[in-house]
Structure formats: C-alpha cells, structure tokens
Amino acid sequence: MQGIPGGGTHPGLYPVDRRMLLIFSFILAVAFGQMNFTGDQVLRVLARDEKQLSLLRDLEGLKPQKVLLDEEREAMAKSRRLERSTSSFSYSAYHNLEEIYSWTDNFVMEHSDIVSKIQIGNSFENRPILVLKFSTGGPRHPAIWIDTGIHAREWITHATGIWTANKIVSDYGKDPILTDILKAMDIFIELVTNPDGFAFTHSMNRLWRKNKSIRPGTFCIGVDLNRNWKSGFGGNGSNSKPCSETYHGPFPQSEPEVAAIVKFITAHGNFKALISIHSYSQMLMYPYGRSLEPVSNQRELYSLAKDAVKALFEVHRTEYIFGSISTTLYVASGITVDWAYDSGIKYAFSFELRDTGHYGFLLPATQIIPTAQETWMAIRTVMEHTLTHPY
Amino acid sequence: MQPRRPPLPAPGSRPWGPRPAAPLIALLLLLSPVVAAAESESPQDPGQPQDAGLQRRLLQQAARAALHFFNFRAASPSALRVLAQVQNGRAWINPKEGCKVDVVFSTERYNPEEGEGHLGKCSARVFFKNQKPRPAINVTCTRFIEKKKRQQEDYLLYKQMKQLQNPLEIDSIPDNHGHIDASLRPIWDLAFLGSSYVMWEMTTQFSRYYLAQLTSVRQWKTNDDTIDFDYTVLLHELSTQEIIPCRIHLVWYPGKPLKVKYHCQELQTPEEASGTEEGSAVAPTELSNF
C-alpha cells in the first residue's frame, strides 16, 4: 500500500486516497456488471391504445434491464457461431491459418452433402494437413487434385483455392460442365499445403517460402516443398544448401508435407489430373521442369494449356504464357508436377498466378476475386478435358 | 557448388534430337510455346542453339534490363515504365563472352491512370557479359508522356515528399496485404526508381529481379533542396527465388540525374553487390527520347 501524501493517520481507519477509490469503484462496477439473469423472462407487450403506448414510453425511460432466458442466451450463443459461418467470410481479403481452418469447418458443415474434410497428415510443427473432398458419392471415382499454398508467401493461391471451393459448391447443379465432372469424378483441394510456412508469413516473415523443418548441422530452416519430390530429385534447378530458398531437402519426400500427399495420392490410386498452384508470373505449365525433354503427350498438353489460357483470358483479359516448365519458367528438379506425371497422372499442370512482378507476392486483396474468377475458367477447362479423355 | 542458372544447351543439340529436316521445322515452330498476344520472332541463326523458349526468355531478360536502365536514366518517378510485350528480337550467344541481344518491346506506365492505355515502344541492344554484372545497354523509347506533364508530376511528387513527416515511421510498403496508402505512393515510386539502378546492375542473362517490398525508409534533411532518402528494399530474384535485402541511398531533384549508392546482401555467396552511380557524371539525354 502506498503512503499518503500529507501525512497524518487516523487510528483504526485504513487511509484511502482518491486514486485507490477510483480503482475500487471500477472493480465494483465490473463485479456488478456480471449479473445473473437466471429465471428472468422476455415479454412482448403490445399497446392497444394511446394511453397504453404512453405508459410503455414511460417504462422505456427507465434504466433498461437486460433480461434473458436460458433459451435466449442459447440462441445468442448460436448466432455468434453462425456469424462465423461462411456467409460472413470475406473472399476478397487475405486470412490467416486459424481463419482458413475455421472457414473449412463451417464450409464442410454447410455443404456436407458433397464436401468432407480429410486429414492426410501433420506438418513438421505438428499442424494438421487438411484436404477438402468434393464428391457426389460412388466408390473410387477417378479424381482431380488441386493444391494451393505449397509456397507460404504465395498468398493469392490460398485465397484462390478458398474461392474455388466455394465456386464448386455454388455451381454444382447449375453449371452443366461442372455438374458432369462431379457426377463422374471427385475433386480434392488442399488449401494450405504448407501450414507452418504460412503461419510464419503471418507472424514473422511475409516473404517466407519453404516449410519450417529443422535438422542438425545447420542454422537454416526449411525445405522448398516444390523441390522435395521424387522426380529428378537433386538435379539442376534445386539446391543442396540448406540456407537456399530452393533447398531440396536431404532426400526425396523427407518433408512430412510432401510425404503426406504422396501417401494419399498413391493409396487412392485413381487420380487422373493434378493442378499445383503458385504465384507469380502468369503462366500455365506442364512437365517437365527437371529437363528440356518433352513429355510423351506434349502435343495434347500444349493444346489443352492453350485452351485453358484462352478461357482465362476471356474473363478479365489477363495474359498468361504457357508451355513446359523448363522452357517457360526455368529448369527445376524434384517438383510436384514432374512426380505426378511420372506417377501416371497424364494431366499435370502448374499455375503461376498474378501478377508479373508489379506487386509480386504482395498482390493487393482487391485482385483476389478477379484472379480466382479467371483461374477457375482455366481449371475448369483442364477438368473437363480430363473427364472427356478417360484413361 | 550448385549452378545458379540453367545450363545452356550444347551447340547443335536440340530437345528433339539432331537438326530436323525442313518439313519438320514448320511443325516444330507450331509446337513452340507462344506468348498469348504477340509472338516473339527469332530468326534461325545457323550454328547456334535456338530453343524457342530460351530465346523468348533471353529477349525478355534483355527487355527488362533495358527498362531498368532506362528508368534509372530518365530519373523520373512519375514516368516509370514496365514491360508490356516483347515484340521481336534476336540473340547471339557466345559461350565465352556472353550474349548480345537486340530487342523491340512495348511498355506501359508503372502507374497507369484511369483509361490510360498508352503503350510506348522501345528498342534496345543489350550485351550481357558472362559472369559480370552491369549489362551494357543502348536503349531508345518513344515518348508517351508529354514532357511538360511529366515535369509537373515529378514536381508534385517532389513536393509531396518534402511535406512528409520527418522522421517517417513506416513499417513496410506495400503492407503485407499488398496495400499502398495514397500518401505513401511517392515514397514507393522513388524507391522503385532507385531500385531500378540496382536491378539494372544485377541483371544477367539468367537472373531477374523484382522489387518485392520496401521495409524501411528514412528521409534526411539536406542543405539544398534535394530529396535525400535512405531505404531498405527486398528484391526478389526469380531463378533462385531468393529475397535480397539492399540498402539504398539516393539523392534526387526533379529534372536532375539520380544519384544512387547501394549495398545488397547476397545470402548464398560470400560476394556482396554494391555500387555507386554519380548521376551527374553520365549525360542522360542522348540515349533516350521522351
């Protein structure tokens, strides 16, 4: 207890100065604010004439008492949960991991007829790795895989993935092409392929790319998840130095985030298309990344990419270039789409979304929906082709 | 040590095997990846590898380098240009010396105003020296902003900068969501101008730089009326995906050449890139028309 300025004491009384009084009053006010309304009621009163109305107005003038029934409180709590439903989620803003995972739960709940959530593993820092499954039922439908966010800083990709998921459920039953696709095939979307890295871009380093794995012998953290696949692993366009942004890791699939996908897709055994979404550069590409060697169905993929890019262009006149990864972007080894192709997935594509360098990774949120809208048309083109060319 | 660039294909080799017969060349050209709107033509130079994709990349590299240099030389933050389309060009690759590229390309304004669809046109000769920075550049561009308008806008920007609170307390531009406040736009434009010098010097036939973010900025008081500005940028290099922090110090006055000093940290290699350009030592007007 502080001493009082001015000295003097009264025997038997505890001296209190003005500041202490204020603090005590505040505490009391807070304590009394937490009132118990058990057993109270809400009544609706209808005025029949002017006299009754006037009486009600007088009552209104009195200090209002919040009176709640148990059920009322229950309803309020419920509405608070619904406020966090997908209808209040902003698709034109960037979200953090908790918000995305929360949206995922709401989304699955609201569209449980065709959407379910699967946990395919855990990240290095033990976060759940989640995949959304869109299915109209039927055993072992051929499937399409879409992943976003394999590189943490590419925020536009997660945002596009979320919008796309919502687009699928919105257009199912309305868009005949999508409806046909979903009747025959399942779609899997992994929104946050690199949850640890993504969390890190929110907390510490907006431009982080890799995952957050640590290993003895180096201070540097993380492996480039798009160099860790078992296809030309360790070749040109990947780096053996742990501090490098394209560090491929100690061996193929060393990273849990990659291993989880490999395990899932392999066990499923019936994936027919894989689309891996990145940013930025405005490109649509097919294998190989590891070499200039063309894939056996290069002509078909070229033609399909051309159609997809055209469909994309027609939305907002955004120009994409297309071709194989090695000739369009650069040589890169151990990448997702090379692995997918080598595993028998004939239609393996990699997107680099907007823009071409003006904002780069820091694409303004105002561009999320236009980007997602145009990208959807390209994805839909690829899915349609996969549907009409079964193998 | 892992090579940081994709190796050039051996002379005479092609992705589809030895030199194909004439009737197949047409088919090959059809199969080459193309730009959605304009195709880059590169005449076949016998004895040199001509993979269409590599050609296109080289022409783009040259166009970008030329534009960084052009922007620096123009020293006009309100008239910054970005690459719109590579239209045509050719490249000569000499594995010992480097490569020489002639390229014609269109540009657009970095900050396009509403309804503005101007496409300026530039032609450049760029010489990338093997293993050495500072590609030699000769570039001319057509004017697309009236000189008087440009001067007015530069002066307006200058006044906005002068009126900014000192010390500036800024986290980063853009913020993590890509947003740049209108009041901070002049800072960003000036930073981009200064970064152009850095990016020009560092661009090679393989490495390509972009300005990712401005992470700190400090404006110094000066005895004269110049803008004296110290800042840190994060450059993104595409082929290695590295983020390179650079400290840049620039001095600017509307209509005067830009003076830049910088120091970049290359995390992977022990070398660090740094440089100085005393703009007044270089005559700005003879190489560019605007």
Side-chain angles (χ1 to χ4, degrees), chain A residues 142-145 185 265 269-276 284-288 294-305 323-325 336-350 381-383 385-391:
Chain A
I144 296 161
W145 172 273
M185 306 181 78
I265 290 181
N270 208 20
F271 273 90
K272 299 300 177 191
L274 177 138
I275 298 171
S276 192
L284 175 54
M285 299 172 287
Y286 43 82
Y288 286 115
V295 289
S296 56
N297 64 336
Q298 132 108 5
R299 239 168 274 198
E300 184 187 12
L301 295 182
Y302 173 86
S303 170
L304 178 51
S324 76
I325 292 156
T336 314
V337 293
D338 281 7
W339 170 83
Y341 190 82
D342 286 346
S343 305
I345 299 174
K346 270 173 66 173
Y347 304 116
F349 286 92
S350 181
T381 305
V382 171
M383 295 201 296
H385 185 95
T386 308
L387 173 72
T388 54
H389 295 76
Y391 61 94

Side-chain angles (χ1 to χ4, degrees), chain A residues 305-350:
Chain A
K306 187 174 183 184
D307 290 344
V309 160
K310 181 162 182 284
L312 186 153
F313 179 78
E314 269 153 21
V315 184
H316 297 298
R317 300 185 67 82
T318 305
E319 285 173 2
Y320 267 55
I321 55 178
F322 60 96
S324 76
I325 292 156
S326 54
T327 59
T328 309
L329 183 56
Y330 44 46
V331 168
S333 297
I335 66 176
T336 314
V337 293
D338 281 7
W339 170 83
Y341 190 82
D342 286 346
S343 305
I345 299 174
K346 270 173 66 173
Y347 304 116
F349 286 92
S350 181

Side-chain angles (χ1 to χ4, degrees), chain A residues 91-231:
Chain A
Y91 293 95
S92 58
Y94 290 113
H95 295 276
N96 64 24
L97 191 62
E98 286 88 334
E99 289 163 356
I100 295 176
Y101 277 8
S102 166
W103 173 89
T104 301
D105 287 337
N106 287 324
F107 183 71
V108 168
M109 197 166 60
E110 290 165 25
H111 302 280
S112 51
D113 51 339
I114 56 169
V115 188
S116 56
K117 179 180 89 171
I118 306 170
Q119 180 167 345
I120 64 168
N122 283 78
S123 68
F124 186 84
E125 290 174 345
N126 219 22
R127 291 182 173 85
I129 302 173
L130 304 174
V131 171
L132 287 171
K133 177 182 178 182
F134 300 76
S135 177
T136 55
R140 267 189 96 247
H141 271 182
I144 296 161
W145 172 273
I146 302 173
D147 63 72
T148 56
I150 199 169
H151 290 138
R153 58 195 182 198
E154 296 165 10
W155 282 16
I156 185 59
T157 68
H158 316 79
T160 296
I162 294 167
W163 185 95
T164 305
N166 189 51
K167 179 71 170 169
I168 291 172
V169 298
S170 308
D171 276 14
Y172 175 67
K174 295 181 191 134
D175 171 4
I177 292 175
L178 173 70
T179 306
D180 283 345
I181 290 166
L182 266 178
K183 280 205 184 114
M185 306 181 78
D186 294 343
I187 302 171
F188 292 83
I189 302 183
E190 184 176 353
L191 291 173
V192 191
T193 307
N194 180 2
D196 299 344
F198 186 61
F200 198 59
T201 58
H202 280 273
S203 63
M204 289 291 287
N205 184 345
R206 174 62 178 85
L207 294 175
W208 189 259
R209 168 183 169 90
K210 303 187 282 185
N211 74 348
K212 294 295 295 314
S213 64
I214 50 183
R215 48 189 40 87
T218 174
F219 295 121
C220 288
I221 298 172
V223 167
D224 183 344
L225 295 177
N226 198 29
R227 300 290 187 278
N228 188 241
W229 299 75
K230 195 172 181 178
S231 174

Side-chain angles (χ1 to χ4, degrees), chain A residues 365-380:
Chain A
T366 49
Q367 292 198 41
I368 293 175
I369 292 183
T371 302
Q373 288 170 330
E374 66 196 14
T375 308
W376 167 244
M377 293 311 289
I379 293 174
R380 185 175 170 270

Side-chain angles (χ1 to χ4, degrees), chain B residues 35 38-42 59-60 63 83-89 102-107 119-123:
Chain B
V35 177
E39 203 164 333
S40 63
E41 297 153 37
S42 33
L59 295 179
Q60 289 208 323
L83 179 64
Q85 208 77 260
V86 169
Q87 282 162 349
N88 58 65
D102 282 347
V103 62
V104 175
F105 54 96
S106 62
T107 64
L119 284 182
K121 201 164 175 183
C122 299
S123 69

Side-chain angles (χ1 to χ4, degrees), chain B residues 155-165 168 183-188 190 217 219 227-229 252:
Chain B
Y155 193 67
L156 190 63
L157 196 146
Y158 167 79
K159 284 193 32 195
Q160 284 173 298
M161 291 289 303
K162 277 291 178 193
Q163 276 159 17
L164 284 169
Q165 193 189 31
L168 296 158
S183 64
L184 301 177
R185 190 86 221 189
I187 301 179
W188 174 257
L190 206 51
V217 63
Q219 195 175 179
I227 302 281
D228 195 307
F229 190 166
W252 177 68

